[in-house]
Amino acid sequence: MPKLKPSKGAPYARILGVGGYRPTRVVPNEVILETIDSSDEWIRSRSGIETRHWANDEETVAAMSIEASGKAIADAGISAEQIGGVIVSTVSHFKQTPAVATEIADKLGTNKAAAFDISAGCAGFGYGLTLAKGMIVEGSAEYVLVIGVERLSDLTDLEDRATAFLFGDGAGAVVVGPAPEPGIGPTVWGSEGDKSETIKQTVPWTDYRDGEVDKFPAITQEGQAVFRWAVFEMAKVAQQALDAAGITPDDLDVFIPHQANERIIDSMVKTLKLPEHVTVARDVRTTGNTSAASIPLAMERLLATGEAKSGDTALVIGFGAGLVYAATVVTLP
Ligand SMILES: CC(C)(COP(=O)(O)OP(=O)(O)OC[C@H]1O[C@@H](n2cnc3c(N)ncnc32)[C@H](O)[C@@H]1OP(=O)(O)O)[C@@H](O)C(=O)NCCC(=O)NCCS
């Protein structure tokens, strides 16, 4: 048998740049109240959400991704041709094939970068980041673009009291590249498929096509069950990611959990006993839950407002439909 040459990659990887795109239309709670029996006070106190963004016809999954990616590439100080991989995490791109990543890779001007989509719900950014790190360290790409993008307004049942107020649209992107020391810690990730019924699409597309249901499919969830799981189980996963990176909460500068509900964020901060000096992302207030886009969007905003700075050590954790989760410690770009 011939001996194969081993692949040669960079010793380590890190995030080099971040960019975000939020649709122009800002939707306050009052708009949600047109279709559900609720109140601004209830939505704010139960979820923390005040406004969210909804995309218009031009703000497609590809268009929002290209905007966010352009900013991330500029922030990283590289050119699009240097990108060897484009990973798009989304559950709201309505064309099964081809992967939207290929269109994005082309329109950005990459040189035929490897491009593919992944479906990992609200953990999608962490899943993509882990794949990107692997590609760079393994040597199959020098720079990889990881995009989390959603148009969840297309998958929201505005008459469902349990979800109508939760979701928003947007795209967040990061450029991951080679580094002389670790800038992305070990990922603690997994899935709990026995709980897959707790967040799901109401019915398959084919049921709608075949006239078995009148309503276009939407995302539905058992809010309390998901809430309990997030609060109890995800704090443990976050702690495991700190342990795996070999640091303690005292070493952290920033905490960027999935932006699903501000009460979940508060509870995790408490359970993890995060010290006062740790900046906590609360982008959910004005962005809602944008699933795979939520962590990079929150990261971009913290850096843009100066609440976090380049080189800070941040714990990121995403969790959602599947149920799936992914947590890791990163150095901010
Ligand atoms: C959705 C969520 C905000 C609801 O909050 P909650 O405190 O669990 O609310 P509950 O479903 O227990 O309902 C509490 C009460 O409010 C009522 N209620 C439910 N939705 C309401 C709404 N939109 N407006 C006003 N009242 C509402 C319920 O009828 C219930 O009334 P009752 O006590 O008289 O029976 C919360 O469960 C949640 O955020 N879950 C996790 C979401 C999440 O992380 N998803 C991740 C997706 S990746």
Side-chain angles (χ1 to χ4, degrees), residues 77-85 109-111 141-144:
I78 63 161
S79 67
E81 300 97 75
Q82 291 174 275
I83 290 170
T110 71
N111 184 18
E142 191 177 9
Y143 298 96
V144 178

Side-chain angles (χ1 to χ4, degrees), residues 49-73:
I49 301 169
E50 297 161 16
T51 57
R52 73 287 286 147
H53 297 253
W54 283 353
N56 62 30
D57 290 348
E58 281 79 51
E59 290 166 322
T60 61
V61 162
M64 293 193 291
S65 299
I66 290 165
E67 284 291 326
S69 301
K71 291 183 197 166
I73 293 167

Side-chain angles (χ1 to χ4, degrees), residues 10 12-16 136 142-144 175-179 184:
Y12 304 106
R14 66 165 289 174
I15 301 174
L16 296 168
I136 290 159
E142 191 177 9
Y143 298 96
V144 178
V175 171
V176 185
I184 302 172

Side-chain angles (χ1 to χ4, degrees), residues 235-255 268-280 312-315 329:
K236 290 183 209 161
V237 170
Q239 182 61 53
Q240 285 165 16
L242 290 177
D243 296 342
I247 66 167
T248 70
D250 277 341
D251 301 316
L252 275 182
D253 302 302
V254 186
F255 179 45
M268 290 178 91
V269 167
K270 223 167 139 186
T271 311
L272 288 166
K273 299 192 174 70
L274 294 188
E276 282 285 312
H277 74 260
V278 176
T279 299
V280 178
D312 277 355
T313 300
L315 170 63
V329 175

Side-chain angles (χ1 to χ4, degrees), residues 87-203:
I87 303 172
V88 177
S89 182
T90 185
V91 296
S92 47
H93 176 58
F94 287 126
K95 254 192 194 169
Q96 202 84 42
T97 194
V100 70
T102 59
E103 178 187 342
I104 296 166
D106 177 55
K107 293 209 170 126
L108 283 171
T110 71
N111 184 18
K112 301 182 183 173
F116 56 99
D117 297 352
I118 58 172
S119 172
C122 305
F125 178 72
Y127 272 59
L129 197 61
T130 306
L131 294 177
K133 174 183 161 184
M135 287 159 74
I136 290 159
V137 172
E138 185 269 343
S140 47
E142 191 177 9
Y143 298 96
V144 178
L145 194 60
V146 178
I147 303 165
V149 55
E150 302 292 359
R151 274 179 61 113
L152 293 180
S153 58
D154 289 335
L155 277 172
T156 301
D157 176 358
L158 291 178
E159 290 168 355
D160 177 10
R161 273 177 113 205
T163 55
F165 57 94
L166 286 176
F167 301 123
D169 304 337
V174 296
V175 171
V176 185
E181 36 185 74
I184 302 172
T187 300
V188 177
W189 60 352
S191 68
E192 297 185 31
D194 59 322
K195 300 182 186 64
S196 61
E197 291 293 302
T198 54
I199 309 175
K200 61 178 184 184
Q201 182 170 318
T202 43
V203 291

